[in-house]
Amino acid sequence: MLTTPSQFGLVAINGAGAGSYFPLDPDSGVVTIGRDESRDLPIDDPLASRLHARLTWHGPNWHIEDCESSNGTKVNSESIARAILQPGDLIRIGDRLLVFLHRETNEQSGLTPARLAEATSLFRVQADARQGKLFAASKDSTQPMLSSERLSAVLRFTTTVYAQSNLIRAAKLAAETIADVVKCSSVNVWMTGVDGRLKRLASIGESSDGRLLASVCMERNEAVAYGSDWNLDRKELHFPTTAAPIPGRRSPRGAIECRRQNDSTDFEQADLDFILALAHQLGMAAEIFEHRESLEQENRNLRQRVGNMSRLHGESSAMQSVHSQIQRIAPTSSTVLILGESGTGKELVAHSIHDLSNRAAGPFVAVNCASFNESLLESELFGHEAGAFTGADQRRVGQFERAHRGTIFLDEIGEMTLACQAKLLRLLEGHPFERLGGTKPIQVDIRVVAATHRDLRSMVDSGKFREDLYFRLRVIELNLPPLRERGDDVLLLAGLFLQQFRSQVGRGPKRISKAAASMLVEHSWPGNVRELRNAMERVVVLGESDDVGPEDLALGEASRSSPSTSPLISLAEAEQLHIQRVLAACGGNKTKACKILGIGRGTLYAKLKSSP
């Protein structure tokens, strides 16, 4: 049967209007709640704002929205901006509590508006509380009085709960233990999810909805009981339904709700003590599970960062210097300008800086300024409002907004227009910006890492790049060496790329021949690492033998260095070039190279280390 919205309503359960029922009619459009008497539902509480919250019907659900109130709105003890209401939700406006009810559901469970009207003692624990039907017992009011049998059950639970693989299994174990020891017809474990709403994590027996009792005991941080009267002779509480809070670090993280099928079979105080004891252990277990998950996530992030750094392969002194600079730069908030030829790995360096920074949990956004024409680049970076220009049919969030609390990498910064440069400079100086066609100022917290292969200094001199932006960007300048200046790294990278593409394709050459190694070292690599990567991919796809030969590389004679076209070099540089050629011919084997060169390994390492 379809649920009609008129079946929903709110019950005030404390304050001057305690017990009053307010039906929610969708035809009214919006239901306002606040301290002002003109509101649809006035609240007699000084902590409530004049317009505190509003309820709106969006079939098939009622929604609640906080109206920027001074003290906020809570649903099931969680502060909300807006939320979808579910039957049994407990709403806090100031110090006033409202229960969102569905008439039919709550009549079946016995929690009717009329019954709630008699139950204000649930929220005011006073001497006359024994006259009501609902009771609240503080978890700290008495020391647990458990029998030896039940103490043994608590001990068994404590020794096994921490061995569970996750919180769901731990909650299931708690429900099973309580149902077995306390003899309940049903046990439900409620926990607050990541969205702030109560979710049933485990259930034993009948699946009745105890969300209301769970919400109440979480709101009060007290065990809540629903049932029969106070026994004056025995001075004990008896009740067929109870809920105990599951403690958290700052506030309850959930509740355990227990029921007995026959109302005449009541829970006793000793039962409540046992349930509280297990709830306490489950709360501590939840903290440990969260800490464990946090550590595992931190390890995953660390492995990712190390993985990104490991992609910056290189044993040459030039690359070791780059690694060292990244380690020093990353923890700071300084703007970085990465310089280097195309294909040297500028974006990979920028990503490594982000991954090793305190912004690693935030976004990393990369924008190639050369990929957009002059009219689109500003929109790409700063966003635009609907109607800002022809074709702008809806609002678009720019990349600076997407990078909030993270890092934005501006590749080919030299291609940025002067108009964009001016707006970027203001952003770097801490000023807000507006989307194209907009007037609302937008403030972002970002780190800017820029890169270019162009000579920005000469562009400044020619008026193509702002001098003030140039100096603002090069707070820290990081120069990446071209591949031709990285010595043995050519062979190291070639071998890594060969194995990588063999793994992807499932076939291809296994080794690099001496002749091919010599060609790799002699090649000038105008496209740098990108060109080398493409060459090795081509080798794997087209290669037919186990060894990579010179003809497989297809580098061409024109692109190879030769004595006739090479510039004049010093004797030391010639020595280094000869060492590199010998190493290439030996396939990188330093022992063989030392025999050919007639020097020891120590001398070889010293000469390689002193290479310019």
Side-chain angles (χ1 to χ4, degrees), residues 481-517:
L483 186 56
R484 60 183 174 275
E485 297 178 3
R486 292 176 54 180
D488 274 355
D489 287 353
V490 176
L491 297 178
L492 172 66
L493 291 170
L496 290 172
F497 288 142
L498 180 65
Q499 297 304 317
Q500 175 186 335
F501 289 119
R502 267 183 54 83
S503 176
Q504 292 178 5
V505 176
R507 56 178 175 80
K510 301 177 181 178
R511 297 173 294 275
I512 300 175
S513 68
K514 292 183 178 180

Side-chain angles (χ1 to χ4, degrees), residues 419-548:
C420 279
Q421 291 177 32
K423 295 186 72 171
L424 174 60
L425 179 62
R426 282 186 55 79
L427 186 148
L428 289 174
E429 291 175 344
H431 298 288
F433 63 90
E434 298 86 31
R435 301 189 189 100
L436 291 179
T439 57
K440 180 182 178 181
I442 299 170
Q443 190 80 47
V444 293
D445 173 21
I446 58 174
R447 182 183 192 174
V448 175
V449 178
T452 183
H453 71 283
R454 302 183 64 175
D455 185 351
L456 290 185
R457 181 69 261 183
S458 64
M459 293 181 66
V460 169
D461 295 337
S462 62
K464 296 180 179 178
F465 201 85
R466 294 179 62 105
E467 185 176 34
D468 47 6
L469 178 59
Y470 170 66
F471 287 116
R472 188 64 183 81
L473 286 173
R474 66 186 298 266
V475 174
I476 296 178
E477 191 173 278
L478 180 59
N479 287 275
L480 298 187
L483 186 56
R484 60 183 174 275
E485 297 178 3
R486 292 176 54 180
D488 274 355
D489 287 353
V490 176
L491 297 178
L492 172 66
L493 291 170
L496 290 172
F497 288 142
L498 180 65
Q499 297 304 317
Q500 175 186 335
F501 289 119
R502 267 183 54 83
S503 176
Q504 292 178 5
V505 176
R507 56 178 175 80
K510 301 177 181 178
R511 297 173 294 275
I512 300 175
S513 68
K514 292 183 178 180
S518 178
M519 177 177 283
L520 289 171
V521 172
E522 292 177 6
H523 188 60
S524 60
W525 299 110
N528 290 291
V529 178
R530 184 183 295 118
E531 181 187 0
L532 174 61
R533 187 177 188 278
N534 293 341
M536 299 314 296
E537 182 177 8
R538 182 171 57 250
V539 162
V540 171
V541 173
L542 301 178
E544 297 180 350
S545 64
D546 287 343
D547 293 336
V548 178

Side-chain angles (χ1 to χ4, degrees), residues 309 312 314 316-331 349 353 356 476 478 480:
M309 284 295 293
L312 286 170
S316 63
S317 58
M319 284 307 296
Q320 291 305 312
S321 175
V322 170
H323 281 290
S324 177
Q325 290 181 73
I326 291 174
Q327 296 285 348
R328 295 196 300 272
I329 291 170
V349 169
I353 291 173
L356 294 174
I476 296 178
L478 180 59
L480 298 187

